[in-house]
Amino acid sequence: MYRFAPSPTGDMHIGNLRAALINYLCSLQDKSGFILRIEDTDTARNIAGKDEEIKELLKLFGVSWQHFYMQSENLKFHRQMALKLVSEKKAFACFCTAEELEAKKEKAKAEGKPYRYDGTCEKLSDSEVLDNEKPFVIRLKKPIKAMEFADLIKGKLHFEPENIDSFVIMRADKTPTYNFACAVDDMMEGVTCIIRGEDHTSNTPKQEHIRASLGYDKPMLYAHLPIILNEEGQKMSKREAHSSVKWLLELGILPVSIANYLLLLGNKTPQEIFTLKEALEFFDLKKISKAPARFDLKKLLQINREHIKKLDDETLAEFLSFDELGLSLNLKADFAKLAKFYTQEASTINELKEKLQGIFKLDKHSVEYKEYEKQIVLLKEILTQLEFSNLDYEGFKNELLTKSKLKGKAFFAPLRLLLTSSLHGPDLSELYPLLKPLMKEILGEKYD
């Protein structure tokens, strides 16, 4: 059983989505099941509606789940498990104040030693605990022996007990800490493999210790995915625009392209361009590199162009708001062919939309239009009367040259503006066969 357990505290990060996609693929490969758990116990940081946004985003990327949980609904179980540990003397009430702990941390720092909780409250008698009216947290006693666990990417990981102190599992407000809630939930929900970012590696021995202390002895597999670096080679921050899945989608990058790229990051795959369904046939978690992967927006855009080319006419037309242009439905195939041609200079749906909007709607207020207005009007008049259905590009060009008596730049610049709303772009000889089936609609939209 696999799980994806995001917190509803902000926009989904590409690292989170990468973990979700890989967990989902692995669950499909071994048919063990997939859980979506929203970890909403940090009420101070939760953002209203983010849980639903997470669900909608996952659906957009083709991820579905067999079980759904809100972590806060498990609070009573977290408290029951904490009480069980206290009653078995495996955990204890700690009355140390924040100020007292901070002073001890500063002392350790001054002495050049790593800080570890010194066990001040661990030896308190039952009566000392009952008679103490100060707020308290619950700490789990530190492990007494080394821990090892298998990581499908990193190999065997080893943790000495002195590197883990008696850590807090329940706060003074009777809410669980991240590690305790996470460990208990994974235990109760029957999770058997945890795939997450390597920044959680240090949490793993604590969570293993929690489950072992509760008497849970079923083995857990792990895979800690290497971090994603930004284009400068530094750890990508959640504040960077590129790290936000929403930002990438708003840029006009297809979900299938983002998924393709994230599964390709630091991975060995038999092909570069693929869908989630195709990845199911060859994805192998063990082939992911141990080294950090660097995010490359140019590579993602190149992948996006390839996926745009693979879209069927209906889907591409919908992405490009075909209906808003008021074109005849029988022109969708010609429209899609034109759009795919423009991927040679447009990498996103937004860029393509802008190119095609320009073809069907000329901006008469632009500086370029004002410069060539007379020539454009002249060419438009000729074009609306020209029968060019049987003309190839040379014939089309020669007819316009003859009838307009324009030459050189005074001909080609206004013609390009008339047809594409831009002075730059693909060669008109290549573009003309694609524009020809749409010419009446182009002229009608622009000049009615």
Side-chain angles (χ1 to χ4, degrees), residues 305 308-318 320 322 325 327 329-346 352 355-356 359-360 426 430-438 442:
R305 287 195 296 273
I308 288 172
K309 293 175 189 176
K310 294 177 72 173
L311 289 175
D312 62 77
D313 297 343
E314 189 73 29
T315 303
L316 181 55
E318 184 178 343
L320 295 172
F322 174 86
L325 294 172
L327 306 183
L329 293 178
N330 62 6
L331 294 173
K332 274 190 180 178
D334 295 313
F335 178 82
K337 188 181 291 186
L338 176 63
K340 290 177 181 181
F341 175 80
Y342 263 104
T343 55
Q344 62 184 274
E345 60 175 45
L352 271 182
K355 297 283 183 188
L356 295 168
I359 287 174
F360 291 96
E430 296 180 73
L431 199 52
Y432 172 73
L434 298 166
L435 294 177
K436 189 162 70 168
L438 299 160
I442 291 171

Side-chain angles (χ1 to χ4, degrees), residues 256-305:
V256 65
S257 306
I258 298 171
N260 184 162
Y261 181 67
L262 292 179
L263 293 173
L264 199 63
L265 266 182
N267 198 1
K268 294 179 182 178
T269 59
Q271 60 200 70
E272 185 174 75
I273 306 301
F274 52 83
T275 63
L276 197 62
K277 184 177 180 181
E278 290 167 339
L280 184 60
E281 301 301 317
F282 61 75
F283 183 80
D284 185 349
L285 187 64
K286 294 176 183 177
K287 289 186 177 179
I288 293 178
S289 171
K290 297 178 183 179
R294 184 174 296 201
F295 181 85
D296 183 348
L297 183 60
K298 288 183 180 178
K299 183 65 177 178
L300 173 54
L301 293 175
Q302 178 257 316
I303 289 172
N304 197 49
R305 287 195 296 273

Side-chain angles (χ1 to χ4, degrees), residues 181-412:
C182 187
V184 170
D185 290 348
D186 287 338
M187 180 180 75
M188 293 195 310
E189 292 160 9
V191 173
T192 54
C193 184
I194 296 173
I195 304 171
R196 56 189 176 189
E198 70 175 3
D199 52 326
H200 284 285
T201 306
S202 60
N203 292 324
T204 302
K206 292 182 179 180
Q207 293 172 13
E208 283 278 295
H209 180 45
I210 289 166
R211 285 189 289 269
S213 299
L214 288 166
Y216 189 78
D217 58 2
K218 292 183 180 179
M220 184 77 75
L221 281 174
Y222 294 93
H224 290 92
L225 302 168
I227 61 170
I228 299 175
L229 304 176
N230 62 20
E231 292 179 303
E232 286 72 46
Q234 301 169 329
K235 183 179 178 180
M236 183 173 276
S237 164
K238 290 184 179 181
R239 291 184 292 273
E240 295 180 67
H242 295 176
S243 74
S244 167
V245 176
K246 185 188 288 187
W247 185 86
L248 294 174
L249 291 169
E250 289 173 350
L251 191 65
I253 301 176
L254 300 171
V256 65
S257 306
I258 298 171
N260 184 162
Y261 181 67
L262 292 179
L263 293 173
L264 199 63
L265 266 182
N267 198 1
K268 294 179 182 178
T269 59
Q271 60 200 70
E272 185 174 75
I273 306 301
F274 52 83
T275 63
L276 197 62
K277 184 177 180 181
E278 290 167 339
L280 184 60
E281 301 301 317
F282 61 75
F283 183 80
D284 185 349
L285 187 64
K286 294 176 183 177
K287 289 186 177 179
I288 293 178
S289 171
K290 297 178 183 179
R294 184 174 296 201
F295 181 85
D296 183 348
L297 183 60
K298 288 183 180 178
K299 183 65 177 178
L300 173 54
L301 293 175
Q302 178 257 316
I303 289 172
N304 197 49
R305 287 195 296 273
E306 295 305 312
H307 277 289
I308 288 172
K309 293 175 189 176
K310 294 177 72 173
L311 289 175
D312 62 77
D313 297 343
E314 189 73 29
T315 303
L316 181 55
E318 184 178 343
F319 273 126
L320 295 172
S321 305
F322 174 86
D323 293 341
E324 293 176 14
L325 294 172
L327 306 183
S328 173
L329 293 178
N330 62 6
L331 294 173
K332 274 190 180 178
D334 295 313
F335 178 82
K337 188 181 291 186
L338 176 63
K340 290 177 181 181
F341 175 80
Y342 263 104
T343 55
Q344 62 184 274
E345 60 175 45
S347 302
T348 69
I349 291 296
N350 293 359
E351 290 173 344
L352 271 182
K353 195 178 289 188
E354 185 179 347
K355 297 283 183 188
L356 295 168
Q357 288 285 338
I359 287 174
F360 291 96
K361 295 184 184 294
L362 181 62
D363 180 6
K364 295 184 180 182
H365 301 291
S366 68
V367 174
E368 294 86 354
Y369 179 84
K370 294 295 183 184
E371 183 180 353
Y372 293 103
E373 184 173 4
K374 289 183 181 179
Q375 296 96 321
I376 290 173
V377 170
L378 174 61
L379 290 171
K380 175 259 175 178
E381 289 176 355
I382 297 169
L383 265 177
T384 54
Q385 299 174 35
L386 183 66
E387 179 52 58
F388 49 80
S389 58
N390 295 319
L391 295 176
D392 60 13
Y393 175 68
E394 286 301 314
F396 170 77
K397 180 184 71 175
N398 291 334
E399 283 283 339
L400 285 178
L401 282 168
T402 301
K403 289 181 167 34
S404 69
K405 297 184 171 54
L406 298 172
K407 295 180 180 179
K409 185 179 179 181
F411 171 75
F412 286 104

Side-chain angles (χ1 to χ4, degrees), residues 96-254:
C96 297
T97 65
E99 291 76 18
E100 290 168 342
L101 293 172
E102 187 59 35
K104 291 177 182 180
K105 288 178 184 177
E106 288 300 319
K107 184 175 183 292
K109 184 178 179 182
E111 295 173 353
K113 300 176 181 177
Y115 170 75
R116 294 286 183 268
Y117 177 73
D118 59 8
T120 299
C121 298
E122 189 172 342
K123 304 297 184 182
L124 294 177
S125 65
D126 291 346
S127 60
E128 286 176 309
V129 171
L130 290 171
D131 292 339
N132 198 324
E133 295 182 357
K134 290 168 59 179
F136 65 91
V137 300
I138 295 176
R139 289 181 182 272
L140 182 65
K141 291 181 180 179
K142 62 184 180 182
I144 57 175
K145 61 180 181 179
M147 283 182 285
E148 286 188 344
F149 57 88
D151 188 296
L152 296 171
I153 296 173
K154 295 179 175 295
K156 186 175 289 186
L157 296 180
H158 180 91
F159 289 87
E160 290 295 332
E162 58 264 26
N163 294 324
I164 306 168
D165 61 5
S166 297
F167 57 92
V168 178
I169 58 173
M170 293 292 285
R171 304 182 186 95
D173 65 359
K174 299 183 178 63
T175 60
T177 58
Y178 165 76
N179 278 312
F180 191 63
C182 187
V184 170
D185 290 348
D186 287 338
M187 180 180 75
M188 293 195 310
E189 292 160 9
V191 173
T192 54
C193 184
I194 296 173
I195 304 171
R196 56 189 176 189
E198 70 175 3
D199 52 326
H200 284 285
T201 306
S202 60
N203 292 324
T204 302
K206 292 182 179 180
Q207 293 172 13
E208 283 278 295
H209 180 45
I210 289 166
R211 285 189 289 269
S213 299
L214 288 166
Y216 189 78
D217 58 2
K218 292 183 180 179
M220 184 77 75
L221 281 174
Y222 294 93
H224 290 92
L225 302 168
I227 61 170
I228 299 175
L229 304 176
N230 62 20
E231 292 179 303
E232 286 72 46
Q234 301 169 329
K235 183 179 178 180
M236 183 173 276
S237 164
K238 290 184 179 181
R239 291 184 292 273
E240 295 180 67
H242 295 176
S243 74
S244 167
V245 176
K246 185 188 288 187
W247 185 86
L248 294 174
L249 291 169
E250 289 173 350
L251 191 65
I253 301 176
L254 300 171

